Amino acid sequence: MASFAIIGAGISGLACANALAAAGHQVALFDKGRGPGGRMSTRRVDTPLGQAFFDHGAQFFTERDPDFQKTIARLEAQGAVGLWRGKFVRFGEAGEPDALGDEPRYVGTPGMNGIVRGLAAGLNPSWGKRVSTLSGRKGAWHLQVEAGEILGPYDQIVCAVPAEQVSDLLAAHTPAIGEQAEAIRSLPCWAGLFAFEEPLALAWDMARFEAHPVLDVISSSMNKPGRTGPVTYVVHGRAEWSTAHLEESADEIADALLKALAQICGPLPQPLVQSAHRWRYARVETHHGPGYVYDEDQGIGACGDWLSGPRVESAWLSGHHLGQALSA
Ligand SMILES: Cc1cc2nc3c(=O)[nH]c(=O)nc-3n(C[C@H](O)[C@H](O)[C@H](O)COP(=O)(O)OP(=O)(O)OC[C@H]3O[C@@H](n4cnc5c(N)ncnc54)[C@H](O)[C@@H]3O)c2cc1C
């Protein structure tokens, strides 16, 4: 039995942790976030109509791989995941929207981070721990947390964070992984978060925009399973627009995304909630194909969507396959 420290408790880090724990290894998970989610986070906001839930990162996920399907079926039985029976459309250059493919789409319940919470059950991740440096060697790694705390020793390290944050942690110990991570570029995304007293009159639940100067996605929580409180709307700015406006304030962005929402839906009532969240590293533009990387001499592995593709399922598969390889 070996001990592993996993940096990052998003879906890839948790998939890796589950595979290692199932093989009998000791796993310690550290995440800088205040709670579970990563890019599958859910923000809760108190309103006079009850708590509003905003899935401000990933909107849904699909399941194609048999191992992922088994995991989703288990989480669905536990009430942590549900099928989103919504209407999904795509707006092209002009005219009426087309229906998007009818592959089943799933969400976490009661918010998107329900799936991450479900995967974390029994693993007891430590939240609010931003790891800043590693020291030591295979068999005796220590982690330094930003607050100054030193954690360890651990036999091996798994780094499950976005590519842009990998090389700072790993380049000094495993230059090959550091270089691979440095070659990756992730695109940003501004997310607008809105709620109104009454639901908006939309003929669909989620729309993808292919030719809009500002919008990428508008998504409503109306028919997402397990949601309570007011209906919420998440508006994702397209990558080019988000890049051009990356350093503007959240208030300015929320105003701009609300205007873009009104262009699509018509005049809007005064919002109950209006805010914006900046995803600096939202989705990888390019990714390496191997699924995961591992430096056996150093006992350091890395997983995440930058190694497998910008989707929830790909990120899970990356962590799952790394965990299986390390267990073997
Ligand atoms: C706006 C947006 C929309 C998306 N839409 C979809 C969609 O509809 N469908 C889909 O399938 N996918 C979608 N995705 C992509 C999907 O969310 C990601 O591919 C997936 O969640 C990545 O998981 P991960 O575990 O690799 O990374 P993350 O979820 O980013 O997890 C990494 C974790 O590492 C932690 N961390 C980072 N640095 C440190 C450190 N130094 N110390 C400790 N912890 C650290 C972070 O807090 C985070 O929790 C979307 C993403 C975004 C942002």
Side-chain angles (χ1 to χ4, degrees), residues 28-96:
L29 276 148
F30 303 99
D31 197 291
K32 68 178 182 171
R34 276 179 297 168
R39 279 173 280 163
M40 301 175 72
S41 289
T42 301
R43 188 183 295 180
R44 292 162 191 233
V45 180
D46 288 327
T47 79
L49 301 183
Q51 213 171 41
F53 287 66
F54 295 92
D55 298 333
H56 54 306
Q59 290 306 304
F60 66 82
F61 56 91
T62 49
E63 35 130 66
R64 298 168 193 168
D65 173 88
D67 284 342
F68 190 54
Q69 286 170 350
K70 268 188 232 149
T71 299
I72 295 309
R74 177 174 57 78
L75 292 169
E76 200 175 357
Q78 292 167 4
V81 163
L83 188 60
W84 186 11
R85 297 174 204 278
K87 184 170 176 197
F88 303 90
V89 300
R90 169 182 36 220
F91 283 87
E93 293 285 338
E96 289 301 302

Side-chain angles (χ1 to χ4, degrees), residues 109-143:
T109 53
M112 186 51 116
N113 69 352
I115 173 176
V116 182
R117 201 181 289 281
L119 290 173
L123 293 169
N124 205 14
S126 300
W127 305 110
K129 304 267 185 202
R130 181 193 288 267
V131 177
S132 53
T133 41
L134 308 184
S135 56
R137 58 185 159 72
K138 188 174 183 179
W141 284 112
H142 285 89
L143 311 182

Side-chain angles (χ1 to χ4, degrees), residues 218-278:
I218 296 176
S219 180
S220 149
S221 70
M222 176 87 126
N223 291 312
K224 284 189 175 180
R227 274 31 178 194
T228 53
V231 176
T232 60
Y233 299 86
V234 170
V235 179
H236 285 158
R238 63 186 308 112
E240 299 80 355
W241 183 85
S242 298
T243 305
H245 297 270
L246 196 58
E247 302 308 334
E248 285 177 26
S249 72
D251 287 349
E252 287 171 302
I253 296 296
D255 281 344
L257 291 176
L258 189 68
K259 273 196 199 115
L261 180 64
Q263 257 183 15
I264 304 299
C265 308
L268 298 172
Q270 185 62 27
L272 280 175
V273 179
Q274 170 173 344
S275 69
H277 177 87
R278 175 174 36 216

